[in-house]
Structures are given as structure tokens and as C-alpha cells.
Amino acid sequence: MLRITEVNDIATQHDFFALPAALYKNDPHYIAPLKQDIEKVFDASKNKFFHHGECTSWMLYDEQKPVGRIAAFINHDTAYSDNQPTGGCGFFECINNAQAANFLFDTAKQWLQQRGMEAMDGPINFGERNAWWGLLVEGFTPPTYQMNYNPPYYKELFEGYGFRDYFQQYSYSINIKEPLPQRYRAVIERMKTNGSYSFRHLEKRRWKKYAADFRSIYNRTWKFLPHFKEISEEQVLSIFKSMKPIILNYLCWFGYYKEEPVAMFIMLPELNGWFKYINGNLNWWGILKFLWFKFFDRSNRKIFGIVFGVVPEHQRRGVEAAIVMAADEVVRKKHRWDEIELTWVGDFNSRMLKTCDSVGGKIVKRHITYRKLFDETKEFKRHPVIE
């Protein structure tokens, strides 16, 4: 008999984190996400979204055996900006059983309805869109750090409950061993002779200067996105401080027009290439193992592009191609990396999709963010296209 209980004690917390290991024990591609990363999502002292939201989570049991889990959350800053008040569900894991999955979805739905919500998106995160967002439906290869990974049958469970495709997310890959398209040469030569543009990578001794440039580019480039909030100086300094142990100078590039910051292409070593050895726990032993593999292991051949942007007034001038080429020339000389995987781009963002295509990117993973309307007589609308 199925029964569900809120995660509110040591036993249920243990089961919440232990369930994936049982479900994925025979999956050679699975890499356990860091327990500490997911704990932060549910910790009100560490997750800023609790300042304007709420969340909870549940475990599903068949008798005494854990068979599923789910979380539900509301971001009050954005919940009322759609056609109907919308919450979310995420961190869904379940056996291949529609009854069990529906039990979990119903629980999340009822919790959201009690708080005035009329729809739920999923699987999403109680946090920013760059982590734990969307259901993997294509490209079942080892997951990139903080990207959702799941069995193929989850798609049937979500769609069988009535979730519909709200938007799709494409992850692009650039093969470093392949030459970039020849059409770039004319663009690069034109940029070089222009003289007004310059491209250079980060210098750690001047990291505060580059943090300020990052903030300037970020706030100007993405201000047109729905629900956008400017990143503060405090936030960007915190981000750079947290990344300092893993940053490689030659992977973080900035473009300037007459010394004004106008473009950035920020990459990091793909952390799951090392985290796969620590079994999802960055405790003291996990930290030691991570550091050993970071410094001595050369099997990790993938770079992850976390941010790629050009301020609007300098788009369509060849800056996108030029900054990629500038980075490409340096990265190739290191002979350490084979592939760059770019952070996902929504199918509603046609400009960024064209940019990824133009730099030689190929789609290697596809996720879907679903939406479930509680009143199915209402008109369903996909995510609006960004012009």
C-alpha cells in the first residue's frame, strides 16, 4: 500500500537523499548530484528564495520501501506574472509506476492549490534556472554539473499526468578538435583591423575588475528577459569568490569596445568529470578525492560554458564569433580539452539559438520544462517567444 509523508525528520531526510542511488544503481551514465548542493535548496538560511517563497518535500513508500520523492515550491515574486498563479515541483524521483507518480504529483498539486496556485511547472528548482531545471528527454549521456538527469520513462509519467510542453531547453556542444567554420575567418580579420574591439581572458590578480565587468555585461544583456532582476555587486563578488578555486584564467573571456565591457564567454572545467568519483558527498573525504582528481586526473576532457552574452548594441557585428575564436585559439594550444558544452538555451530565445548555431554548436541534450494547468478547460499557452 502506498503512503506519503512529509520530509521532516532524520529518517525521511535520509530516504530523500538515498532513493536515487537505488533507482540508478544499474545506470552507467548516472552521476550523483552533490548532497550539499541539494541541501542548500531546502535550507532557509542558505537559499535566498525563502525570502520571497516557500517549499516542502515528501517521500513516497510502498509499505516500508521508499519508491518516490517530490518537492513543491512557490516563488511569490514570479508566481502571479503568468496567466494564472503558478508554482512548481521538482527533485522528482520515482519507480516506473504511473500510480506512484500520480500520487506524488497529486500531493504537490494539492499543496499548491491550498496556497492559491492554479498551475505547476516541473521539474524545476526552488532557485535560479541554471540548476536542476527541466526533464531530460534526449541525450542520455553523463549529466553536466547541476543539470537534471533521469530515466527515459519519466517523460511518460509527466505527460501521462497531464503535464504539457511549456518550453524546451537545448544544450549545445562544440567539438574543440574540429576546426571552426571557415566563414569565421573574414569576421575575425575584420574585427582585428577594426581596432576598437579587444578580447582578453581573466587575470586572477585583477578579479574584482573582471567581476565588475561581468556585472555590467550581465545586467545590460539579459534585462529583456521575463522576471529579470539585476545582479548586485555583492552577488557577483560572492559568485567570483566561490568560483576562484576552480577558475582557469584562459577559460574566462571578456570583450571590450574601446575598453567598455561588451561581451563575455565564461567557461569552467566540467565539474562532474571529477565529482563522479566522490559518490555525491563533498565531505572531508570527498573534498580530498576531488582535489586529487582535479590536479592529477586528465581524463576529464570537457569544458562547461556557463555564460555567453553580448550587450544588445554590439550584437550582429561579429562580436559573438570573435570572442569564441579568441578563446578557441588559446584553449586549443593547451591540448587538454576535447569539448565545450554550453549551458542550455530555451526554444523561446531565437537570438541565442542562432548564436549557438553560428559558433558551430550542435544540440547534444534536450530538456523540457512542463506546465500542468489545474483547470484543464483553460487555454494552455507556451512560454512567450523573446524577440
Side-chain angles (χ1 to χ4, degrees), residues 3-4 45 132 163 225 275-276 294-295 312 337:
R3 64 179 178 87
I4 200 161
S45 68
W132 321 124
F163 280 97
L225 288 175
F275 285 153
K276 64 184 179 181
K294 176 189 172 185
F295 287 109
W337 311 103

Side-chain angles (χ1 to χ4, degrees), residues 145 246-248 250-251 267-274 294 300 302-304 306 336-337:
Y145 178 60
I246 54 175
I247 280 178
L248 296 177
Y250 65 87
L251 295 183
M267 301 174 284
L268 296 173
E270 210 300 277
L271 296 178
N272 269 0
W274 296 315
K294 176 189 172 185
N300 184 8
K302 181 189 286 190
I303 301 167
F304 184 51
I306 59 173
R336 179 177 174 180
W337 311 103

Side-chain angles (χ1 to χ4, degrees), residues 190-199 255-260 262 314:
R190 186 177 75 245
M191 299 295 290
K192 286 181 178 179
T193 57
N194 181 294
S196 298
Y197 288 97
S198 60
F199 303 93
Y256 298 88
Y257 178 74
K258 298 179 179 178
E259 294 305 307
E260 173 197 0
V262 297
H314 290 272

Side-chain angles (χ1 to χ4, degrees), residues 57-304:
S57 55
W58 298 269
M59 281 298 304
L60 181 67
Y61 297 88
D62 185 357
E63 301 296 343
Q64 300 301 316
K65 182 181 179 181
V67 294
R69 74 178 196 186
I70 199 169
F73 13 78
I74 302 171
N75 178 354
H76 292 293
D77 276 358
T78 59
Y80 303 94
S81 55
D82 288 310
N83 295 317
Q84 62 285 310
T86 303
C89 66
F91 299 96
F92 171 87
E93 302 286 0
C94 188
I95 59 173
N96 191 3
N97 181 288
Q99 181 185 6
N102 291 348
F103 204 153
L104 290 164
F105 293 139
D106 279 342
T107 301
K109 173 185 173 181
Q110 291 165 12
W111 185 86
L112 292 169
Q113 284 180 313
Q114 291 168 3
R115 288 155 179 80
M117 298 296 103
E118 298 176 8
M120 66 177 170
D121 292 345
I124 65 171
N125 179 29
F126 188 48
E128 303 292 352
R129 281 186 173 184
N130 63 322
W132 321 124
W133 209 280
L135 189 80
L136 181 66
V137 297
E138 187 178 307
F140 293 90
T141 57
T144 304
Y145 178 60
Q146 291 192 343
M147 291 285 284
N148 275 339
Y149 180 86
N150 51 263
Y153 68 79
Y154 278 20
K155 184 175 188 289
E156 295 180 9
L157 297 180
F158 271 80
E159 294 180 359
Y161 186 71
F163 280 97
R164 298 177 66 180
D165 179 342
Y166 184 50
F167 63 84
Q168 299 200 12
Q169 306 154 231
Y170 303 128
S171 295
Y172 284 81
S173 174
I174 299 173
N175 187 336
I176 298 174
K177 290 186 175 182
E178 293 181 358
L180 286 170
Q182 187 63 32
R183 62 181 180 273
Y184 283 159
R185 302 303 169 187
V187 174
I188 299 306
E189 290 305 315
R190 186 177 75 245
M191 299 295 290
K192 286 181 178 179
T193 57
N194 181 294
S196 298
Y197 288 97
S198 60
F199 303 93
R200 50 187 178 268
H201 62 68
L202 178 146
E203 302 168 75
K204 282 190 179 180
R205 61 185 176 84
R206 303 177 64 203
W207 70 273
K208 288 187 177 180
K209 175 256 192 300
Y210 289 103
D213 292 347
F214 178 101
R215 181 185 176 217
S216 172
I217 299 165
Y218 182 93
N219 286 338
R220 292 160 63 195
T221 302
W222 285 284
K223 62 184 178 182
F224 63 88
L225 288 175
H227 317 314
F228 174 79
K229 286 188 176 182
E230 286 197 354
I231 190 170
S232 67
E233 180 181 4
E234 180 183 7
Q235 286 174 307
V236 77
L237 287 175
S238 175
I239 291 170
F240 268 65
K241 284 181 181 178
S242 67
M243 293 197 313
K244 281 180 72 175
I246 54 175
I247 280 178
L248 296 177
N249 287 5
Y250 65 87
L251 295 183
C252 301
W253 284 80
F254 292 83
Y256 298 88
Y257 178 74
K258 298 179 179 178
E259 294 305 307
E260 173 197 0
V262 297
M264 60 183 173
F265 184 23
I266 309 298
M267 301 174 284
L268 296 173
E270 210 300 277
L271 296 178
N272 269 0
W274 296 315
F275 285 153
K276 64 184 179 181
Y277 298 110
I278 69 173
N279 199 29
N281 196 344
L282 201 61
N283 54 16
W284 69 268
W285 179 236
I287 292 173
L288 289 176
K289 291 174 71 175
F290 167 74
L291 291 174
W292 190 95
F293 282 103
K294 176 189 172 185
F295 287 109
F296 299 107
D297 175 55
R298 287 295 180 267
S299 65
N300 184 8
R301 308 283 295 177
K302 181 189 286 190
I303 301 167
F304 184 51

Side-chain angles (χ1 to χ4, degrees), residues 344-364:
W344 66 263
V345 180
D347 64 358
F348 51 82
N349 191 343
S350 58
R351 182 178 296 176
M352 278 305 301
L353 293 176
K354 290 178 182 177
T355 297
C356 291
D357 288 334
S358 73
V359 297
K362 298 178 180 179
I363 297 174
V364 291

